[in-house]
Every structure is written in structure tokens, then in C-alpha cells.
Amino acid sequence: VLCMALSLVACDREKSDKPVIKIGVSLPLTGNVSYIGQAAKNSLNMAVDKWIKRDTKYKYEIIFEDDMLKPQKAALNANKFISMDKVRAVMSLFGVVDRPIDDIANKNEIISISCSYGKDIVPEYGINVGSTNYDIYPSALKKLKDKETKTVALVGSNSETSSAVLDYAAKHLPNDGIKVVADERYAVGETDYRLSIKKMEEKNPDYYIVFGVEPMNTIFVRQYYEITGKNNIASL
């Protein structure tokens, strides 16, 4: 009887001890877009809670780190996830941080999952769930054409995510009958765009297309409205 009892305990332990799959998640949990990072964290925790209730083959563990939407911090997070936490995948949010994470993860043959606009090319171990230029551009072009737009000013940040989208627009819009009369990129963290706005207004663009790193978008729109009182601003 004792042998049977020990056997049952051993079988039960074997059934409950599932292999653990660790996933590292780098999010902006503090800073200007912390509300997005915290919302993503809550969503991921809810998803894992659902998986826990299912009879899955693996047990999943998420390890969160704050990147403050800074590439250098994101790179440190990726190295920690891979070398210390031994994760099987790394997740990130926004193109500002996903490029360095992609590079580090790919070199270590670790899956890198990101959500980044305009990201048309991903590395071998990369997955992007954000909209690509092929998804964004046709819809944006149709909207501009519906508003009989002839000229635009492109405005964004000196970042890979802004460049991925705005460079594509700068290349393709002229071929589709819309002239780009200005193309301004600002340093991440810059907060005063008034002089630049006044210079661009001299070219009288029909529309401004803004795609920057927050809080650039919010500040630019507010300053533009204070100077001009116009609402001819779009984003992608």
C-alpha cells in the first residue's frame, strides 16, 4: 500500500511539474508613455492568467523590465533577459526600442516579437505584429486624395521608427501626385517647434503628416494650433 501511495504521489508531481517557458518583456513602464506600457503589462498578465487555467504543455512566466522608451535601456534589458533570465523570447513595444532588441535577440537565436509601425523588414528570428508601410500607405493616400491634397509637410523624430514611415511617404507621395514641400525631423526630447512651424507655414502645405516619438506629436500639434489655429494635421 505504501509503495502504491508513493507511486501515485510521484505520478501527480510529474504531471504538475511542467517545463517553464520564460518570456522577457521590455516596456515603457515609466516616462511620457508609461500609460501605454502599463496597459500592455496588464494585458499580458491577463493573457497569461487565461493560459494558466488551461491544461497546456508548458508553464509560462513573464519577466518585465522598464525601458523608458530608450534604446540603450532596451538593449540592457535584452541582454539581461537572454544571459541571466534565460528567456525563450523577448517582446517589445514601439520602433524606438525594438531595433536594438531585434539585433541582440537575433544574434542569440532568440525570438523577438515587436509592435512597430512601418517595419517592413525583420531579422530571421523577428516577428512584427504592427502595421507595415504596405498596410498604412494606401489608406493614408486615399484619405489625402479625398481631401484634394496637393502638398504636404512631413514632420517626425530622428528615430528609426519615424524614418521607416516618413521616408517611405517621402519617396512615394510625389509619384502619386502629392508634393512634399517640407521634411523636418527633430531630436528625440526636443520640445519647442514654434520656429520650425513658422518656416514650414511659409510653404503653405495643404496638410502636415506627423509621426514622431511621444511627446513630440502632442506638443507639436498643440504649438501648431496655437500659432495657426488650423486643424490640417494628420498622422499615420
Side-chain angles (χ1 to χ4, degrees):
V1 174
L2 178 60
C3 289
M4 289 178 63
L6 290 172
S7 298
L8 289 171
V9 170
C11 289
D12 184 63
R13 183 181 294 116
E14 184 180 347
K15 181 180 179 181
S16 62
D17 289 345
K18 299 179 179 179
V20 177
I21 301 295
K22 294 182 179 180
I23 302 170
V25 182
S26 184
L27 294 172
L29 300 176
T30 60
N32 293 317
V33 292
S34 59
Y35 62 98
I36 298 177
Q38 293 291 346
K41 180 179 180 180
N42 293 338
S43 299
L44 286 166
N45 281 330
M46 289 172 62
V48 171
D49 286 343
K50 287 185 178 180
W51 276 100
I52 290 174
K53 296 174 183 177
R54 299 180 181 181
D55 186 20
T56 57
K57 182 178 180 180
Y58 301 101
K59 177 183 177 182
Y60 296 94
E61 178 183 340
I62 297 184
I63 302 167
F64 293 99
E65 291 290 348
D66 181 16
D67 58 37
M68 300 180 287
L69 205 62
K70 295 183 178 181
Q72 300 88 343
K73 187 66 171 66
L76 289 173
N77 291 346
N79 281 316
K80 173 188 175 291
F81 289 145
I82 295 169
S83 62
M84 296 178 62
D85 300 316
K86 307 300 181 183
V87 301
R88 299 292 296 275
V90 180
M91 300 178 70
S92 62
L93 187 62
F94 298 133
V96 180
V97 299
D98 71 355
R99 268 62 170 189
I101 290 178
D102 274 351
D103 290 342
I104 294 167
N106 204 59
K107 288 175 183 176
N108 289 275
E109 299 183 350
I110 297 293
I111 296 170
S112 176
I113 305 171
S114 62
C115 182
S116 177
Y117 264 25
K119 188 177 180 181
D120 302 321
I121 301 173
V122 294
E124 182 181 359
Y125 289 87
I127 300 171
N128 181 41
V129 297
S131 299
T132 66
N133 284 312
Y134 307 114
D135 302 316
I136 302 166
Y137 182 76
S139 298
L141 178 64
K142 182 180 184 304
K143 198 72 174 179
L144 291 170
K145 290 285 189 179
D146 289 345
K147 293 182 176 294
E148 300 181 348
T149 304
K150 301 298 181 184
T151 59
V152 298
L154 303 179
V155 181
S157 302
N158 279 320
S159 69
E160 287 194 65
T161 182
S162 290
S163 296
V165 173
L166 295 180
D167 288 355
Y168 189 91
K171 179 180 178 181
H172 289 82
L173 284 172
N175 296 330
D176 291 310
I178 298 176
K179 185 178 181 180
V180 178
V181 297
D183 188 349
E184 294 292 330
R185 313 293 170 89
Y186 308 102
V188 175
E190 188 170 340
T191 57
D192 190 347
Y193 311 103
R194 294 177 181 87
L195 182 60
S196 179
I197 290 169
K198 291 176 181 177
K199 288 183 178 180
M200 285 188 287
E201 273 296 280
E202 293 175 0
K203 300 178 181 179
N204 196 32
D206 294 330
Y207 254 86
Y208 287 76
I209 298 178
V210 182
F211 194 80
V213 177
E214 275 297 307
M216 187 231 133
N217 302 306
T218 302
I219 297 173
F220 183 94
V221 170
R222 182 173 65 245
Q223 291 178 358
Y224 178 80
Y225 185 75
E226 290 171 354
I227 292 171
T228 69
K230 297 189 291 186
N231 293 315
N232 57 331
I233 292 184
S235 189
L236 301 172

